[in-house]
């Protein structure tokens, strides 16, 4: 049995949801989130999971990841985040991005 046959159904959907949650919460992942979404679409189109199961699972993972990312960045605060950027010598890009967001 190949690994592709073993990753049918719930395990693959769980992996996709974990990757999307991590990407949305700010954890760097090896593949862009869009590539993971395309892979999830191909997974559903290939019959790996029904759309009515995959769509709410993926949507929930993305929304939960966005809320987690907002929560941890809000808890750290702007001052500490800027202090970290100064220590890592990224204060220029940090100031540009924060200026655009304001």
């Amino acid at each position: 049995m190949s690994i592709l046959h073993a990753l049918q159904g719930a395990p693959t959907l769980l992996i996709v949801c974990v990757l999307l949650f991590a990407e949305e919460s700010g954890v760097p992942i090896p593949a862009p989130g869009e590539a993971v979404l395309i892979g999830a679409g191909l997974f559903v189109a290939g019959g790996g999971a029904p759309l009515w199961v995959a769509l709410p699972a993926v949507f929930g993972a993305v929304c939960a990841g966005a809320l987690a990312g907002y929560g941890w960045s809000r808890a750290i605060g702007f001052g500490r985040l800027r202090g970290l950027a100064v220590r890592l010598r990224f204060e220029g890009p940090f100031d540009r991005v924060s200026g655009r967001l304001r």
Side-chain angles (χ1 to χ4, degrees), residues 14-60:
L14 180 66
I15 291 169
V16 166
C17 288
V18 166
L19 285 173
L20 289 172
F21 175 85
E23 194 264 337
E24 281 296 317
S25 63
V27 176
I29 61 172
E34 291 80 13
V36 176
L37 283 172
I38 290 170
L42 292 172
F43 173 69
V44 170
L51 181 64
W52 61 272
V53 172
L55 193 63
V58 167
F59 182 75

Side-chain angles (χ1 to χ4, degrees), residues 2 10 13-14 19 23 32 37 44 47 50 52 57-59 61-64 66 68 81 85 87 94 97 100-101:
S2 72
L13 189 58
L14 180 66
L19 285 173
E23 194 264 337
L37 283 172
V44 170
W52 61 272
V58 167
F59 182 75
V62 169
C63 288
L81 201 55
R87 273 184 259 157
F94 180 84
V97 169
R100 287 181 186 168
L101 290 175

